[in-house]
Amino acid sequence: MSDQATLAEVLTVEHHAIDAGIEKFVAASPGGPIGEWSAPLVQAMAALRRHIYLEEELVFPSLRNGPLMMPIMVMLNEHGEMWRRMAALDEQLAADGVDQEPLRSEVAAACTEMLGLLADHNSKEEPVIYPHLDSDMDDDSRAFLRDFLDDGTTPDGWECARAAA
Ligand SMILES: [Fe+2]
Ligand SMILES: [Fe+2]
């Protein structure tokens, strides 16, 4: 991603990449090692966890003391729901026979529900929150976020604010 891209554009691209990874998994037929089949989903969930981390730790704190307080509360609640669904998906993927019926259809259905949650979340976050990234975050916060986007990783053991229902 070039430096020309706005932060709003970069985070929107992340949304699309995460969706695409989950969609690829849903569309794929199992075959070969289980790890190869599940890789797009595992990678998409790692990307989503990192995305939620950077929003909650590097973006929202800069924006929540203003008119975005309530929308950010909604975003935090939805992140919590996604976080719990990802934990459930991890369990499903670890089960024996997940690449065979009926478990395969169950994990695909859970992924389709996840895609619905993401679509609903992103359809609010992109127009309501993201326009403020490039205009309302201070220079240091924006620079820190750009550095993190390059090569930052979710800290071990980090959980989103509303991981517990
Ligand atoms: Fe979000
Ligand atoms: Fe997001």
Side-chain angles (χ1 to χ4, degrees):
M1 188 64 62
S2 82
D3 285 344
Q4 261 54 53
T6 65
L7 286 167
E9 287 167 342
V10 176
L11 293 202
T12 300
V13 166
E14 286 204 355
H15 284 172
H16 296 156
I18 290 162
D19 288 348
I22 300 172
E23 286 163 359
K24 183 176 174 187
F25 170 79
V26 171
S29 296
I34 184 85
E36 278 177 30
W37 171 57
S38 61
L41 177 57
V42 171
Q43 287 164 12
M45 289 199 291
L48 179 54
R49 286 182 171 113
R50 191 187 93 127
H51 184 88
I52 289 174
Y53 169 78
L54 70 88
E55 287 184 345
E56 295 202 4
E57 299 289 350
L58 307 183
V59 174
F60 294 171
S62 299
L63 301 175
R64 71 177 156 220
N65 292 321
L68 294 181
M69 189 178 79
M70 288 308 295
I72 285 174
M73 290 293 157
V74 174
M75 297 296 100
L76 292 173
N77 281 335
E78 293 178 357
H79 287 174
E81 175 70 25
M82 292 175 199
W83 203 266
R84 293 188 292 278
R85 300 257 186 158
M86 285 194 280
L89 274 166
D90 281 340
E91 279 189 25
Q92 284 179 286
L93 285 179
D96 285 340
V98 66
D99 55 342
Q100 292 151 33
E101 297 300 347
L103 295 184
R104 185 187 155 198
S105 290
E106 289 174 16
V107 73
C111 284
T112 301
E113 284 183 20
M114 189 71 178
L115 286 167
L117 286 178
L118 284 164
D120 183 51
H121 181 77
N122 296 344
S123 74
K124 292 175 287 197
E125 198 169 62
E126 288 171 16
V128 176
I129 308 284
Y130 284 4
H132 294 267
L133 300 177
D134 297 278
S135 57
D136 294 356
M137 285 174 71
D138 62 54
D139 291 350
D140 285 352
S141 299
R142 279 189 284 122
F144 195 86
L145 176 55
R146 282 201 186 269
D147 279 351
F148 183 88
L149 283 162
D150 277 345
D151 58 5
T153 54
T154 315
D156 283 345
W158 185 85
E159 292 209 307
C160 71
R162 309 241 166 122

